[in-house]
Amino acid sequence: MRSNLGDVFAVSLITVIVVAPALLTFALVWHLHLQFVDHPPAQFSKALTFVSMSFFFLFPVRTAYRSYQSARFKRTVDRLERLWQQSI
């Protein structure tokens, strides 16, 4: 049960880390859209710069998640290899 709880925590934490920049970007774009409707394009370039910069934060998170998946897969393969060696 403990490993399942740890897996749920890890997946939840990774999900929050991945989704948080997207939600922040969406909130900023929505806020600037409402400003744009009231006042024409004064802040559009700032919003575009912020949105493009937010994508640079997603790449390290994706890399960390891929590393986590790779390590977990390696542990599973090692465990299955040990079981296979014991059964011979």
Side-chain angles (χ1 to χ4, degrees):
M1 183 67 184
R2 186 174 190 179
S3 67
N4 289 340
L5 185 60
D7 291 343
V8 169
F9 177 73
V11 169
S12 300
L13 181 65
I14 291 169
T15 303
V16 167
I17 290 171
V18 169
V19 172
L23 290 175
L24 180 66
T25 303
F26 180 76
L28 179 71
V29 169
W30 185 255
H31 174 71
L32 293 175
H33 168 71
L34 293 177
Q35 285 182 350
F36 180 76
V37 170
D38 292 340
H39 307 287
Q43 304 254 341
F44 185 69
S45 63
K46 289 181 184 177
L48 187 59
T49 303
F50 184 77
V51 169
S52 65
M53 289 300 291
S54 68
F55 289 113
F56 288 111
F57 292 113
L58 294 179
F59 291 118
V61 170
R62 183 177 180 271
T63 304
Y65 180 68
R66 297 288 292 184
S67 298
Y68 166 76
Q69 281 183 328
S70 175
R72 187 167 176 200
F73 180 71
K74 186 178 180 325
R75 284 194 308 256
T76 303
V77 168
D78 290 342
R79 185 173 37 233
L80 290 173
E81 284 178 349
R82 275 184 279 147
L83 287 172
W84 183 69
Q85 290 294 331
Q86 289 175 359
S87 68
I88 291 180

